[in-house]
Amino acid sequence: MDNLDLLNPQQKEAVTATEKQILVIAGAGSGKTKVLVSRTAWLIEQQHQDPRQLMAVTFTNKAANEMKERLERSTGIDSRWLWIGTFHSLCVRILRRENLSEGYDHNFTIYDTADQKALIKKCLADMGLASEERLYSPQLVLGRISDAKNRLLSVAEFATDATDQHQRNIAELYRRYQRRLRENNAFDFDDLLTETVWLLQRQPEALAKYQQMFKHILVDEYQDINHCQYRLISLLAGDEGNLFVVGDPDQSIYGWRGADISNILDFVKDYPDCREIQLNRNYRSTSTILTAANSLIANNNNRKPKDLFTEGNQGEPICFVLTEDDREEAFAVIRTVAALLDEGYQYSDCAVLYRTHGQSAAIERACMRFGIPYRVFGGIKFYERKEVKDTIAYLRLLVNPDDGESLQRIYNEPKRGIGKTTWDKLQQIALQRGENVGRLLAVADQFPELSGAAARKLKTLAALLDQLRGFVADTDSVAAIINELWQRTDYKALLDEKDSEKLVERLDILEQLYNTATTFDEDYQQMFVLSEEDWQPPLNVFLNQTALAMDSDGIGEGSDYLTLMTLHAAKGLEYPVIFIVGMEDGVFPHRRAIFSLGDNEMEEERRLCYVGITRARERLFLSAAKRRLTWGTYENNRLSRFISEIPQELLEISGVDKKRIERPVPVDSGGSVFVAGTVPRPTVTTTPTAAQLFMIGDKVRHGSWGDGVVVQVSGNGEDAMISVAFPGVGIKKLLVKYAPIKKI
């Protein structure tokens, strides 16, 4: 086993503790995996515990496999004997062994996301709701069902909570979906957990068997469990079971997907006789980085106080730079990476972290421009995103009507009733006639092989493309062309088929593409000095640049590359050098947290920043932009409040005077204002700001333009204004006082 002499005193205390329930608060980089493995090995070798009577639960297959491999090396035990795995994998083992609900047998199938979507579409068709995708998209419905299951709400309980027709329809879809799963002898991933909980609740003999079997239960990342997972562990452990949980409330960053931080904070209430042990020696970061992280997270109230420390060196100061705009910010990152290479670092030593997926676009463009190999970890590269590829395909068609590959991509995107059968027939006709398929759209009614309805839809597509080509001929603005394209094709309506998190992510990608076009429009004359003979329309040049960018998008397939990722994706990872970009209020912390009425969202944003900072081992670089493109318009943002929560003596600052870094001053309203120096008590106004009424991402309904999504909030009182993206209409600025709008 791992030698106890190699553990620090706190780690050794946790590994050898004899209390029945033990809570280990493991700070970032404190060796929690080593403690879990050593604890398991100690139970087997020193306490002579049967390995088959241990259950260790992790959140990822990677973590489970790491535990198994390290245990095999330290104890020589075949890991196949061990109950070590994710919640889902361990629940499958239980379900395969026990008497299942009526209609199920042990040969059940596990449905993935594609299977789930196909099944829910059948339920929508059965109820006559298939045509109402904006209200009942498969993703939205499945998201609501998943949330119900994570809260252990049965079909009947969920239906009881329904208060309007929309909710009642969702409840009925839940019922039909579960019935079809049962008919197919299938479970979805959420069912694996809920069915196990319900099985243990309705079969006391099975519960007693597993409580007797699992003498010790060990749980990793306890701060990330949801209600269903909490209930499962509580049942298996019982009141007197041996339960060893490891986690860190300061790294709880998944509240948006059901994780409940109260589970770890209330552990001592659930088990009053438990022993709490803190691991606060960090083996990863310099003392400068840890001091910054400790100071930041101390501003949260919902936590267990602890101070990470290290016996390592002080390290370099944290570099903070304020740039003129987001493009200069991206170039500053690349210049710094280049300087680090001269110091002996490699690209793979560095990672750039950002709050939202769309922020990668500026960094990616800078990497492409300077030939920096990179990869997007845990996500899709900007130019590989479906939203980007669809839009580019449309633009190519507007320039080149004979581009059959682009036409094939978008002929039914968004859905316009042109099925694959119709498309295949049209392609066959084109092949037989030796003509380009795009040229046949406008004359589709001349072919008897096509039905009248199919021909009309093809002609409608041809007319749409012709109208857009006419618009292209009348403008030099690529951004305007893209906006017109999205309006006329109703492409933004696709966003409504995603639930909240996915909706915001897709909006973010479209916004970054629009910003890219806006930047191109601004720079076109400066970037290209063209003779009259060399002149090309701006859209052609934009597509040329995009093609080169998409071609270079493949760089970074080797072993040495710069890593780009969201802060959420960075959890559990570490790098010698970390860059965190977009340190502005409204970007990070996210605007939704700023506009939130309670403190929970802001505290989770601060925990996310804490996670980002503690990914760095040696060097940490923070950056912000004085102005940032938002839907083609530059906005001036305040510096992130998180910058002011880091001791200024730890920062090496460029682009802004230290005295001008704004500090939070609390006000009676429960919010805060960000100003320099001493501030008089703010005047209380009875007129709400636009931000108090609406938030970015809110869905609203307009009397004339229908449903839309808020993409910008500005102004106060009589001047309060919001910008709303309406599918098929475009982005409209509305004066809140007079506009016929309401939240939906």
Side-chain angles (χ1 to χ4, degrees):
M1 64 166 286
D2 286 1
N3 194 327
L4 292 180
D5 294 336
L6 299 179
L7 304 177
N8 69 37
Q10 290 76 30
Q11 291 173 332
K12 185 174 181 179
E13 178 187 0
V15 167
T16 60
T18 57
E19 287 78 6
K20 283 185 173 295
Q21 292 94 29
I22 301 165
L23 169 63
V24 179
I25 302 297
S30 62
K32 71 177 179 63
T33 302
K34 185 176 185 178
V35 166
L36 277 168
V37 172
S38 297
R39 170 74 175 181
T40 307
W42 180 80
L43 288 170
I44 294 170
E45 295 192 328
Q46 302 299 316
Q47 302 299 298
H48 309 293
Q49 185 65 57
D50 186 338
R52 292 169 297 185
Q53 294 185 317
L54 304 177
M55 172 185 269
V57 190
T58 67
F59 268 84
T60 66
N61 290 316
K62 178 183 176 183
N65 291 333
E66 183 180 356
M67 278 197 69
K68 290 177 182 178
E69 291 169 3
R70 290 172 69 167
L71 272 171
E72 285 183 337
R73 288 198 303 268
S74 62
T75 67
I77 292 175
D78 189 336
S79 65
R80 290 176 296 179
W81 287 100
L82 306 174
W83 282 72
I84 297 178
T86 63
F87 277 96
H88 292 98
S89 66
L90 296 176
C91 284
V92 168
R93 291 181 68 175
I94 293 175
L95 292 173
R96 296 288 190 197
R97 291 165 167 238
E98 302 305 320
N99 295 321
L100 303 177
S101 302
E102 183 180 353
Y104 284 101
D105 64 42
H106 295 142
N107 296 317
F108 60 82
T109 301
I110 301 172
Y111 274 10
D112 62 16
T113 302
D115 298 322
Q116 291 178 264
K117 288 181 180 178
L119 205 61
I120 205 68
K121 284 180 179 178
K122 292 179 181 178
C123 298
L124 286 164
D126 290 344
M127 292 181 62
L129 299 174
S131 62
E132 300 185 42
E133 276 204 39
R134 296 187 187 182
L135 291 175
Y136 301 101
S137 68
Q139 292 89 340
L140 172 64
V141 175
L142 288 170
R144 298 284 175 82
I145 292 173
S146 177
D147 180 65
K149 291 180 178 180
N150 288 336
R151 292 187 290 135
L152 287 172
L153 293 178
S154 67
V155 169
E157 291 169 329
F158 188 74
T160 301
D161 290 343
T163 58
D164 58 34
Q165 188 57 49
H166 183 263
Q167 292 179 6
R168 286 190 285 273
N169 285 342
I170 297 289
E172 176 60 17
L173 286 165
Y174 183 12
R175 185 186 71 79
R176 290 173 183 252
Y177 174 72
Q178 290 304 116
R179 186 187 67 191
R180 283 185 175 270
L181 282 172
R182 190 183 303 273
E183 290 171 351
N184 293 338
N185 190 32
F187 291 129
D188 64 21
F189 279 100
D190 291 319
D191 286 330
L192 299 177
L193 275 63
T194 57
E195 286 293 326
T196 303
V197 170
W198 288 331
L199 181 152
L200 296 175
Q201 289 180 160
R202 70 173 179 267
Q203 297 184 29
E205 67 285 357
L207 176 59
K209 179 177 71 173
Y210 286 106
Q211 286 178 339
Q212 180 66 23
M213 177 188 296
F214 300 130
K215 298 296 186 183
H216 291 267
I217 298 174
L218 302 91
V219 186
D220 191 15
E221 305 286 11
Y222 196 74
Q223 79 279 351
D224 290 335
I225 64 174
N226 61 30
H227 176 68
C228 182
Q229 293 160 337
Y230 167 81
R231 183 62 183 149
L232 176 64
I233 294 301
S234 299
L235 283 168
L236 291 173
D239 294 333
E240 299 297 325
N242 293 293
L243 181 58
F244 183 93
V245 305
V246 181
D248 182 6
D250 289 339
Q251 296 186 71
S252 179
I253 59 174
Y254 298 117
W256 50 273
R257 70 182 188 194
D260 187 350
I261 192 175
S262 67
N263 290 325
I264 191 169
L265 294 176
D266 292 343
F267 189 87
V268 294
K269 296 179 182 177
D270 294 337
Y271 304 99
D273 297 327
C274 78
R275 182 173 180 180
E276 180 178 330
I277 301 167
Q278 288 199 358
L279 307 181
N280 55 7
R281 179 180 175 183
N282 178 281
Y283 290 89
R284 178 187 300 157
S285 305
T286 65
S287 63
T288 295
I289 292 170
L290 288 185
T291 301
N294 288 334
S295 299
L296 173 87
I297 202 63
N299 290 277
N300 272 8
N301 295 315
N302 208 17
R303 63 186 298 259
K304 285 180 174 290
K306 67 178 184 304
D307 279 323
L308 287 178
F309 73 94
T310 180
E311 295 182 358
N313 59 23
Q314 180 176 350
E316 298 287 337
I318 297 168
C319 296
F320 170 67
V321 59
L322 178 64
T323 62
E324 289 299 320
D325 56 33
D326 41 354
R327 282 187 292 166
E328 185 181 318
E329 180 185 42
F331 293 149
V333 169
I334 298 306
R335 285 195 299 269
T336 305
V337 170
L340 290 168
L341 293 179
D342 292 338
E343 295 180 20
Y345 287 98
Q346 295 183 307
Y347 290 121
S348 56
D349 292 327
C350 307
V352 183
L353 312 184
Y354 36 80
R355 178 62 180 84
T356 62
H357 288 278
Q359 286 174 261
S360 77
I363 308 295
E364 289 188 56
R365 288 196 299 272
C367 286
M368 294 170 193
R369 180 172 177 180
F370 294 104
I372 304 297
Y374 77 96
R375 69 164 183 169
V376 177
F377 179 89
I380 305 172
K381 290 186 176 182
F382 181 73
Y383 286 104
E384 292 176 356
R385 296 289 303 222
K386 179 183 184 302
E387 298 87 352
V388 175
K389 291 176 78 71
D390 286 348
T391 302
I392 296 302
Y394 268 109
L395 295 176
R396 286 172 173 168
L397 266 177
L398 300 186
V399 171
N400 176 17
D402 293 331
D403 186 349
E405 291 302 311
S406 292
L407 180 58
Q408 177 151 348
R409 181 178 185 90
I410 59 85
Y411 72 83
N412 198 41
E413 190 71 42
K415 290 180 174 59
R416 49 177 60 92
I418 303 175
K420 187 176 184 301
T421 300
T422 297
W423 179 250
D424 289 344
K425 287 181 180 179
L426 187 65
Q427 283 190 308
Q428 188 62 34
I429 294 169
L431 183 63
Q432 291 170 352
R433 292 172 171 262
E435 297 187 38
N436 183 278
V437 67
R439 304 286 178 172
L440 302 184
L441 293 176
V443 293
D445 55 352
Q446 297 179 11
F447 309 123
E449 299 95 323
L450 299 173
S451 69
R456 285 192 294 275
K457 291 169 183 173
L458 292 168
K459 286 171 67 68
T460 299
L461 174 58
L464 170 66
L465 294 173
D466 282 343
Q467 291 167 4
L468 286 168
R469 290 185 186 110
F471 184 86
V472 170
D474 292 335
T475 182
D476 288 332
S477 168
V478 176
I481 293 169
I482 289 176
N483 192 49
E484 185 74 9
L485 160 66
W486 286 339
Q487 290 185 33
R488 288 182 181 264
T489 61
D490 205 22
Y491 189 85
K492 287 184 181 179
L494 286 176
L495 299 177
D496 288 341
E497 69 183 17
K498 296 292 184 182
D499 209 348
S500 56
E501 281 299 317
K502 213 62 177 173
L503 167 66
V504 172
E505 179 183 326
R506 294 192 72 187
L507 263 175
D508 192 37
I509 296 301
L510 289 185
E511 178 185 351
Q512 292 306 319
L513 180 57
Y514 188 79
N515 290 343
T516 299
T518 301
T519 300
F520 172 85
D521 289 341
E522 292 177 348
D523 294 348
Y524 180 69
Q525 296 300 328
Q526 290 73 32
M527 290 169 61
F528 303 99
V529 180
L530 301 172
S531 66
E532 198 170 312
E533 293 81 10
D534 293 331
W535 182 87
Q536 293 183 60
L539 181 56
N540 296 53
V541 178
F542 178 79
L543 288 173
N544 292 342
Q545 285 192 349
T546 303
L548 293 173
M550 295 172 79
D551 180 61
S552 62
D553 208 19
I555 64 176
E557 300 304 323
S559 59
D560 189 24
Y561 45 73
L562 178 66
T563 298
L564 316 182
M565 72 180 96
T566 65
L567 283 142
H568 281 99
K571 178 115 180 320
L573 303 176
E574 60 182 73
Y575 290 84
V577 181
I578 287 290
F579 296 83
I580 304 179
V581 299
M583 296 296 294
E584 304 136 44
D585 270 8
V587 179
F588 189 37
H590 197 278
R591 53 179 62 92
R592 285 176 300 169
I594 294 173
F595 297 153
S596 176
L597 296 179
D599 294 331
N600 291 341
E601 288 197 48
M602 183 58 70
E603 293 212 348
E604 181 154 322
E605 289 289 299
R606 188 174 285 108
R607 291 194 293 269
L608 188 58
C609 189
Y610 173 83
V611 166
I613 289 173
T614 55
R615 299 311 93 193
R617 295 205 299 262
E618 301 168 12
R619 303 290 299 275
L620 177 63
F621 296 86
L622 310 175
S623 62
K626 293 179 183 177
R627 60 177 194 158
R628 190 174 294 271
L629 272 176
T630 301
W631 289 106
T633 302
Y634 280 104
E635 283 192 345
N636 297 319
N637 296 318
R638 298 179 185 273
L639 289 182
S640 171
R641 63 195 68 193
F642 299 153
I643 294 295
S644 71
E645 294 171 0
I646 296 174
Q648 302 304 289
E649 62 270 17
L650 302 180
L651 296 176
E652 185 176 275
I653 299 174
S654 302
V656 61
D657 191 316
K658 274 193 177 186
K659 295 179 181 180
R660 296 190 61 193
I661 292 184
E662 300 172 325
R663 297 179 177 276
V665 180
V667 295
D668 287 350
S669 63
S672 61
V673 293
F674 287 76
V675 291
T678 304
V679 188
R681 185 182 184 89
T683 303
V684 177
T685 174
T686 57
T687 305
T689 66
Q692 291 171 319
L693 295 173
F694 295 96
M695 295 193 302
I696 304 293
D698 276 351
K699 290 187 178 182
V700 298
R701 181 161 294 157
H702 187 276
S704 301
W705 296 324
D707 297 346
V709 177
V710 178
V711 296
Q712 186 176 349
V713 181
S714 62
N716 298 290
E718 297 293 318
D719 299 322
M721 182 173 289
I722 60 174
S723 295
V724 182
F726 292 101
V729 178
I731 298 174
K732 300 292 184 181
K733 289 190 175 182
L734 305 172
L735 198 60
V736 171
K737 181 177 180 181
Y738 299 111
I741 54 173
K742 64 177 181 179
K743 288 185 182 181
I744 56 173

Coordinates of all heavy atoms in Angstrom, one line a residue, residues 552-598:
S552 N -6.4 25.8 -40.9 CA -5.4 25.8 -39.9 C -6.0 25.3 -38.6 O -5.2 25.1 -37.6 CB -4.8 27.2 -39.7 OG -5.7 28.1 -39.3
D553 N -7.3 25.1 -38.5 CA -8.0 24.7 -37.3 C -7.5 23.3 -36.9 O -7.7 22.8 -35.8 CB -9.5 24.7 -37.5 CG -10.2 24.9 -36.2 OD1 -9.6 25.4 -35.3 OD2 -11.4 24.6 -36.2
G554 N -6.8 22.6 -37.8 CA -6.4 21.3 -37.5 C -5.1 21.2 -36.8 O -4.6 20.2 -36.3
I555 N -4.4 22.4 -36.6 CA -3.1 22.4 -35.9 C -3.3 22.1 -34.5 O -4.4 22.3 -33.9 CB -2.4 23.8 -36.0 CG1 -3.2 24.9 -35.3 CG2 -2.1 24.2 -37.5 CD1 -2.5 26.2 -35.3
G556 N -2.3 21.5 -33.9 CA -2.5 21.1 -32.5 C -2.8 19.7 -32.3 O -3.1 19.3 -31.2
E557 N -2.6 18.9 -33.3 CA -2.9 17.4 -33.1 C -1.7 16.7 -32.6 O -1.7 15.5 -32.2 CB -3.2 16.8 -34.5 CG -4.5 17.5 -35.1 CD -5.7 17.4 -34.2 OE1 -5.9 16.4 -33.5 OE2 -6.5 18.4 -34.2
G558 N -0.5 17.4 -32.5 CA 0.7 16.7 -31.9 C 0.6 16.7 -30.4 O -0.4 16.9 -29.8
S559 N 1.8 16.6 -29.7 CA 1.8 16.5 -28.3 C 2.1 17.8 -27.6 O 1.8 18.0 -26.4 CB 2.9 15.5 -27.9 OG 4.1 15.9 -28.3
D560 N 2.6 18.8 -28.4 CA 2.9 20.1 -27.8 C 2.0 21.1 -28.4 O 2.1 21.6 -29.5 CB 4.3 20.4 -28.1 CG 4.8 21.7 -27.3 OD1 4.2 22.0 -26.3 OD2 5.8 22.3 -27.8
Y561 N 1.0 21.6 -27.6 CA 0.0 22.6 -28.0 C -0.5 23.4 -26.8 O -0.4 22.9 -25.7 CB -1.2 21.9 -28.7 CG -1.7 20.7 -28.0 CD1 -2.4 20.8 -26.8 CD2 -1.4 19.4 -28.5 CE1 -2.9 19.7 -26.1 CE2 -1.9 18.3 -27.8 CZ -2.6 18.4 -26.6 OH -3.1 17.3 -25.9
L562 N -1.0 24.6 -27.1 CA -1.6 25.4 -26.1 C -3.0 24.9 -25.9 O -3.7 24.6 -26.9 CB -1.6 26.9 -26.7 CG -2.3 27.9 -25.8 CD1 -1.5 28.1 -24.5 CD2 -2.4 29.2 -26.5
T563 N -3.4 24.8 -24.7 CA -4.7 24.2 -24.4 C -5.7 25.4 -24.1 O -5.4 26.3 -23.3 CB -4.7 23.3 -23.1 OG1 -3.9 22.2 -23.5 CG2 -6.1 22.8 -22.8
L564 N -6.9 25.4 -24.7 CA -7.9 26.4 -24.4 C -9.1 25.6 -23.8 O -9.5 24.5 -24.3 CB -8.4 27.1 -25.7 CG -7.3 27.6 -26.7 CD1 -8.0 28.3 -27.9 CD2 -6.3 28.5 -26.0
M565 N -9.7 26.1 -22.8 CA -10.9 25.5 -22.2 C -11.7 26.4 -21.3 O -11.2 27.5 -20.9 CB -10.4 24.2 -21.4 CG -9.7 24.5 -20.1 SD -9.2 23.0 -19.2 CE -7.5 22.9 -19.7
T566 N -12.9 26.0 -21.0 CA -13.7 26.8 -20.1 C -13.2 26.5 -18.7 O -12.5 25.5 -18.4 CB -15.2 26.4 -20.1 OG1 -15.3 25.0 -19.7 CG2 -15.7 26.6 -21.5
L567 N -13.5 27.4 -17.8 CA -13.1 27.2 -16.4 C -13.8 25.9 -15.8 O -13.2 25.2 -15.0 CB -13.5 28.4 -15.5 CG -12.6 29.6 -15.8 CD1 -13.4 30.9 -15.8 CD2 -11.5 29.7 -14.7
H568 N -15.0 25.6 -16.2 CA -15.6 24.4 -15.7 C -14.9 23.2 -16.2 O -14.7 22.2 -15.4 CB -17.1 24.3 -16.2 CG -18.0 25.2 -15.5 ND1 -18.4 26.4 -15.9 CD2 -18.7 25.0 -14.3 CE1 -19.3 26.9 -15.1 NE2 -19.4 26.1 -14.0
A569 N -14.4 23.2 -17.4 CA -13.7 22.0 -17.9 C -12.3 21.8 -17.2 O -11.8 20.7 -17.2 CB -13.5 22.1 -19.4
A570 N -11.8 22.9 -16.6 CA -10.5 22.8 -16.0 C -10.4 22.1 -14.7 O -9.4 21.8 -14.2 CB -9.9 24.2 -15.9
K571 N -11.6 21.9 -14.1 CA -11.7 21.2 -12.8 C -10.9 19.9 -12.8 O -11.1 19.1 -13.7 CB -13.1 21.0 -12.4 CG -13.3 20.3 -11.1 CD -14.0 21.2 -10.1 CE -14.1 20.6 -8.7 NZ -14.5 19.2 -8.7
G572 N -10.1 19.7 -11.8 CA -9.3 18.5 -11.7 C -8.0 18.5 -12.5 O -7.3 17.5 -12.4
L573 N -7.7 19.5 -13.2 CA -6.5 19.6 -14.0 C -5.5 20.6 -13.4 O -5.9 21.4 -12.5 CB -6.8 20.0 -15.5 CG -7.8 19.1 -16.2 CD1 -8.1 19.7 -17.6 CD2 -7.3 17.7 -16.3
E574 N -4.3 20.6 -13.9 CA -3.3 21.5 -13.4 C -2.3 21.8 -14.5 O -2.0 20.9 -15.3 CB -2.6 21.1 -12.1 CG -1.9 19.7 -12.3 CD -1.3 19.3 -10.9 OE1 -2.0 18.9 -10.0 OE2 0.0 19.4 -10.8
Y575 N -1.7 23.0 -14.5 CA -0.7 23.3 -15.5 C 0.3 24.2 -14.9 O 0.0 25.0 -13.9 CB -1.4 24.1 -16.7 CG -2.2 23.3 -17.6 CD1 -3.6 23.0 -17.2 CD2 -1.7 22.7 -18.7 CE1 -4.4 22.2 -18.0 CE2 -2.5 21.9 -19.6 CZ -3.9 21.7 -19.2 OH -4.7 20.9 -20.0
P576 N 1.6 24.2 -15.4 CA 2.5 25.2 -14.8 C 2.1 26.6 -15.0 O 2.4 27.5 -14.1 CB 3.8 24.9 -15.7 CG 3.6 23.4 -16.1 CD 2.2 23.3 -16.3
V577 N 1.4 26.9 -16.1 CA 1.1 28.3 -16.5 C -0.4 28.3 -16.8 O -0.9 27.6 -17.6 CB 1.9 28.9 -17.6 CG1 1.5 30.3 -17.9 CG2 3.4 28.8 -17.4
I578 N -1.1 29.3 -16.1 CA -2.6 29.5 -16.4 C -2.8 30.9 -16.8 O -2.3 31.8 -16.1 CB -3.4 29.1 -15.1 CG1 -3.4 27.6 -14.9 CG2 -4.8 29.6 -15.3 CD1 -4.2 26.8 -16.0
F579 N -3.6 31.1 -17.8 CA -4.2 32.4 -18.2 C -5.7 32.4 -18.0 O -6.3 31.4 -18.4 CB -3.9 32.7 -19.7 CG -2.5 32.8 -20.1 CD1 -1.7 31.7 -20.4 CD2 -1.9 34.1 -20.2 CE1 -0.4 31.8 -20.8 CE2 -0.6 34.2 -20.6 CZ 0.2 33.0 -20.9
I580 N -6.2 33.4 -17.3 CA -7.7 33.5 -17.1 C -8.0 34.9 -17.8 O -7.6 35.9 -17.4 CB -8.1 33.5 -15.7 CG1 -7.7 32.2 -15.0 CG2 -9.7 33.6 -15.6 CD1 -8.1 32.1 -13.5
V581 N -8.8 34.8 -18.9 CA -9.1 36.0 -19.7 C -10.5 36.4 -19.3 O -11.3 35.7 -18.8 CB -9.0 35.7 -21.2 CG1 -7.5 35.3 -21.5 CG2 -9.9 34.6 -21.6
G582 N -10.8 37.7 -19.7 CA -12.2 38.2 -19.5 C -12.5 38.5 -18.1 O -13.7 38.3 -17.7
M583 N -11.6 39.1 -17.3 CA -11.8 39.4 -15.9 C -12.6 40.7 -15.8 O -12.0 41.7 -15.4 CB -10.5 39.4 -15.2 CG -9.8 38.1 -15.1 SD -10.7 36.8 -14.2 CE -10.7 37.5 -12.6
E584 N -13.9 40.7 -16.3 CA -14.7 41.9 -16.2 C -16.1 41.5 -15.7 O -16.6 40.4 -15.9 CB -14.9 42.4 -17.6 CG -13.6 42.8 -18.4 CD -13.7 42.3 -19.8 OE1 -14.7 42.5 -20.5 OE2 -12.7 41.7 -20.3
D585 N -16.7 42.4 -14.9 CA -18.0 42.1 -14.4 C -19.0 42.0 -15.6 O -19.0 42.9 -16.5 CB -18.5 43.3 -13.5 CG -18.2 43.0 -12.0 OD1 -17.5 42.1 -11.8 OD2 -18.6 43.8 -11.2
G586 N -19.7 41.0 -15.7 CA -20.6 40.7 -16.8 C -20.0 39.6 -17.7 O -20.8 39.0 -18.4
V587 N -18.7 39.4 -17.6 CA -18.1 38.3 -18.3 C -17.7 37.3 -17.3 O -18.1 36.1 -17.3 CB -16.8 38.8 -19.1 CG1 -16.2 37.6 -19.8 CG2 -17.2 39.8 -20.1
F588 N -16.9 37.7 -16.3 CA -16.5 36.8 -15.2 C -16.3 37.7 -14.0 O -15.3 38.3 -13.9 CB -15.3 36.0 -15.5 CG -15.0 34.9 -14.5 CD1 -16.0 34.2 -13.9 CD2 -13.7 34.6 -14.2 CE1 -15.7 33.2 -13.0 CE2 -13.4 33.6 -13.3 CZ -14.4 32.9 -12.7
P589 N -17.3 37.7 -13.0 CA -18.5 36.9 -12.9 C -19.5 37.1 -14.1 O -19.6 38.2 -14.6 CB -19.1 37.3 -11.6 CG -18.6 38.7 -11.4 CD -17.2 38.7 -11.9
H590 N -20.2 36.1 -14.4 CA -21.2 36.1 -15.5 C -22.3 37.1 -15.1 O -22.6 37.3 -14.0 CB -21.7 34.7 -15.7 CG -22.4 34.6 -17.0 ND1 -23.7 35.0 -17.2 CD2 -22.0 34.0 -18.2 CE1 -24.1 34.7 -18.5 NE2 -23.1 34.1 -19.1
R591 N -22.8 37.7 -16.2 CA -23.8 38.8 -15.9 C -25.1 38.2 -15.2 O -25.7 38.9 -14.5 CB -24.3 39.4 -17.3 CG -24.7 38.4 -18.3 CD -25.1 39.1 -19.6 NE -24.1 39.9 -20.2 CZ -23.2 39.4 -21.2 NH1 -23.4 38.1 -21.6 NH2 -22.3 40.2 -21.7
R592 N -25.4 36.9 -15.4 CA -26.5 36.3 -14.7 C -26.3 36.3 -13.2 O -27.3 36.5 -12.4 CB -26.8 34.9 -15.2 CG -27.4 34.8 -16.6 CD -27.5 33.4 -17.0 NE -26.2 32.7 -17.1 CZ -26.0 31.5 -17.2 NH1 -27.1 30.7 -17.3 NH2 -24.8 30.9 -17.3
A593 N -25.1 36.1 -12.8 CA -24.8 36.2 -11.3 C -24.9 37.6 -10.8 O -25.4 37.8 -9.7 CB -23.4 35.6 -11.0
I594 N -24.5 38.6 -11.6 CA -24.6 40.0 -11.1 C -26.1 40.4 -11.0 O -26.5 41.1 -10.1 CB -23.9 40.9 -12.2 CG1 -22.4 40.6 -12.1 CG2 -24.1 42.3 -11.9 CD1 -21.6 41.3 -13.2
F595 N -26.9 39.9 -11.9 CA -28.3 40.3 -11.9 C -29.2 39.4 -11.0 O -30.3 39.7 -10.8 CB -28.9 40.2 -13.3 CG -28.3 41.2 -14.3 CD1 -28.2 41.0 -15.6 CD2 -27.7 42.4 -13.8 CE1 -27.7 41.8 -16.5 CE2 -27.1 43.3 -14.7 CZ -27.1 43.0 -16.0
S596 N -28.6 38.4 -10.4 CA -29.3 37.4 -9.6 C -29.7 38.1 -8.3 O -29.0 38.9 -7.7 CB -28.5 36.2 -9.3 OG -29.1 35.3 -8.4
L597 N -30.9 37.8 -7.8 CA -31.4 38.4 -6.6 C -30.7 37.9 -5.3 O -30.5 38.6 -4.4 CB -32.9 38.1 -6.5 CG -33.8 38.7 -7.5 CD1 -35.3 38.4 -7.3 CD2 -33.6 40.3 -7.6
G598 N -30.2 36.6 -5.3 CA -29.6 36.0 -4.2 C -28.1 36.0 -4.3 O -27.5 36.5 -5.3

